[in-house]
Amino acid sequence: MCGIVGYLGNRQATDVLVDGLSKLEYRGYDSAGVAVNNGKDNLEIRKFQGRLAVLAEDLQKSPIEGHLGIGHTRWATHGVPSDENAHPHFNEDQTIAVVHNGIIENYLELRAELQAEGYNFKSQTDTEVAAHMISKYYQGDLLDAVYKATARFRGAYALGVICTDNDKELVAVRKDSPLIVGLGEGENFIASDIPAVLKYTRKVYYLENGEYVHITADKVEVLNENREVVDKKVNEITWDVEAASKGGYDHFMIKEIYEQPEGTKNTLMRRLDENGEIKLDDIDITKEQLDKINKIYIVACGTAYNAGLVGAHAVQRFLKVPVVTDIASEFRYSDPFIDENTLVILASQSGETADTLSVLREAKAKGATVLSIANVVGSSIARESDYTLYTWAGPEIAVASTKAYTCQVTLLTMLT
Ligand code: GLU
């Protein structure tokens, strides 16, 4: 959901990657990393939890030489923010590296399949299956391997892929996550968004879903799902970097308002099975645990509290269980009646709201079951709750919540 940059040209790849990723910082992220083909037997990979500055500093201290690379800023969806879970992810012998934005929905079954075949996993991400799957199908033709691997994926993915065998080849694909191609003079780029390449070129291809890009030393080819070359139109970008970083909108808030359908779709569709039935397989709460619940509190702050009010309406109406919605800062002082038969549902975009976190700790101390709805993977509320459901709204930058709210309402209704 965050940033991808890829480069093939004559400059030092890491300069372009770090610079490009910095232009995507507005999208929000929790870790950053790069992989570079430096002509050796293994790809050189550096990745760190935290700000891009951590990566940039490391690269300054010990630079990587090479003209082909991929970079990533991560907004965790599967696995906490950590160095290990940061991208790029790579195959066993570190000859193929992948950056990914999105969610590979069937990663658990693919992971089990690959593990049974002897592939070892180092991270908790869904993305790592992409690295191993591409490696499994790789027989000297990277594009072919990416086609074969992606045919196995369900979900959303923008991928950038490089390997050691060819230091003049970059493969990318877009499905339900954004990706553009920047066309320079003797150099080419891939990126999640235009600001990342504007310093170098104003000529771009907008990729459609299901399009693959094959960048080699002398050409950029876009292909469709049937491996036929697509005749793409070159777009000239006329806006400035400032406007571009907000996707052409004047403010983040209006941008995020327009992102509501996408966020809702992410939150909803990925939890529907083939028959359109809701499956909340991200939590493993049992029927026995649910049966003993005789009272529900929904507690949150600010906009999330409003989502709670809507959620409570749904719960009372459909489940006929008493529900009290309260503002976290008030809740603790209202002497709530909490025991082991109580379910406390918390909602927080950041997962760090201090009052909500205090309620969580108090409710747990009194034996209640705590289920949280959060947007930031690995946040305090997510970590400390008995169960967490994530709204996959993507980072929300505006202070006034819009898309996170819509996704909270969606999720509370699904939970009901
Ligand atoms: N699902 C992947 C992960 O959790 C990619 C997240 C992203 O788009 O940044 O690592």
Side-chain angles (χ1 to χ4, degrees), residues 1-4 28-31 72-80 85-87 89 99-104 123-128 156 158 177 377 392:
M1 293 180 193
C2 285
I4 285 181
Y29 65 98
D30 53 55
S31 35
H72 188 265
T73 45
R74 175 174 188 239
W75 176 264
T77 65
H78 292 68
V80 296
N85 288 338
H87 301 211
H89 289 282
V99 286
H100 165 224
N101 281 160
I103 296 174
I104 298 171
S123 78
Q124 288 104 46
T125 63
D126 51 331
T127 302
E128 202 179 349
S177 286
V377 176
W392 287 313

Side-chain angles (χ1 to χ4, degrees), residues 78-377:
H78 292 68
V80 296
S82 67
D83 290 357
E84 252 118 55
N85 288 338
H87 301 211
H89 289 282
F90 46 91
N91 63 343
E92 209 98 349
D93 44 11
Q94 214 167 309
T95 53
I96 292 176
V98 174
V99 286
H100 165 224
N101 281 160
I103 296 174
I104 298 171
E105 285 164 34
N106 56 338
Y107 82 104
L108 281 177
E109 58 192 76
L110 297 180
R111 188 179 166 115
E113 171 190 319
L114 289 161
Q115 276 171 329
E117 290 170 17
Y119 292 88
N120 292 309
F121 282 75
K122 295 189 175 64
S123 78
Q124 288 104 46
T125 63
D126 51 331
T127 302
E128 202 179 349
V129 302
H132 291 302
M133 198 57 92
I134 293 167
S135 177
K136 166 174 157 158
Y137 288 117
Y138 181 70
Q139 285 176 331
D141 181 342
L142 190 60
L143 179 65
D144 179 63
V146 172
Y147 265 108
K148 287 184 174 142
T150 49
R152 307 286 315 278
F153 301 162
R154 258 196 346 260
Y157 44 85
L159 295 174
V161 190
I162 58 170
C163 75
T164 42
D165 283 350
N166 188 346
D167 67 356
K168 296 211 167 33
E169 182 179 39
L170 171 60
V171 175
V173 51
R174 167 192 180 167
K175 182 169 171 283
D176 288 330
S177 286
L179 201 67
I180 60 118
V181 181
L183 305 159
E185 299 284 324
E187 57 182 357
N188 294 295
F189 312 77
I190 55 162
S192 305
D193 201 359
I194 290 158
V197 303
L198 268 189
K199 186 168 152 188
Y200 311 99
T201 179
R202 291 190 161 269
K203 291 191 170 61
V204 304
Y205 287 150
Y206 292 110
L207 292 181
E208 302 297 333
N209 272 337
E211 286 185 339
Y212 292 71
V213 193
H214 191 211
I215 300 178
T216 47
D218 50 2
K219 70 171 183 258
V220 176
E221 225 166 35
V222 177
L223 303 104
N224 64 18
E225 276 163 327
N226 303 323
R227 307 193 188 198
E228 294 150 351
V229 175
V230 183
D231 191 14
K232 294 294 283 186
K233 175 173 161 280
V234 178
N235 291 273
E236 277 289 332
I237 304 301
T238 51
W239 355 304
D240 60 17
V241 176
E242 152 83 29
S245 74
K246 298 192 190 95
Y249 294 103
D250 288 341
H251 305 280
F252 281 115
M253 187 169 162
I254 188 74
K255 173 172 176 283
E256 286 161 8
I257 285 172
Y258 279 102
E259 283 169 354
Q260 287 178 109
E262 200 197 330
T264 311
K265 185 175 142 203
N266 286 341
T267 303
L268 181 68
M269 298 301 282
R270 292 184 183 143
R271 294 187 171 102
L272 296 182
D273 67 15
E274 303 73 45
N275 308 316
E277 296 284 327
I278 293 167
K279 58 165 172 62
L280 296 182
D281 56 4
D282 22 6
I283 54 174
D284 54 4
I285 195 161
T286 63
K287 184 165 186 316
E288 288 70 51
Q289 281 166 301
L290 287 174
D291 280 345
K292 69 172 196 188
I293 286 159
N294 58 20
K295 184 171 4 73
I296 300 176
Y297 286 108
I298 303 181
V299 188
C301 289
T303 308
Y305 165 71
N306 287 303
L309 289 173
V310 180
H313 195 74
V315 175
Q316 298 214 123
R317 186 149 151 219
F318 295 116
L319 299 185
K320 314 276 186 253
V321 180
V323 188
V324 173
T325 310
D326 206 350
I327 297 173
S329 53
E330 304 295 323
F331 183 70
R332 298 162 65 202
Y333 305 104
S334 65
D335 258 337
F337 186 73
I338 298 177
D339 60 18
E340 53 286 347
N341 298 326
T342 310
L343 173 66
V344 176
I345 301 175
L346 304 173
S348 165
Q349 188 282 128
S350 65
E352 300 294 343
T353 316
D355 287 316
T356 311
L357 193 54
S358 306
V359 171
L360 184 158
R361 290 175 180 155
E362 197 167 312
K364 279 190 81 172
K366 289 183 174 166
T369 301
V370 177
L371 186 154
S372 68
I373 290 182
N375 193 40
V376 179
V377 176

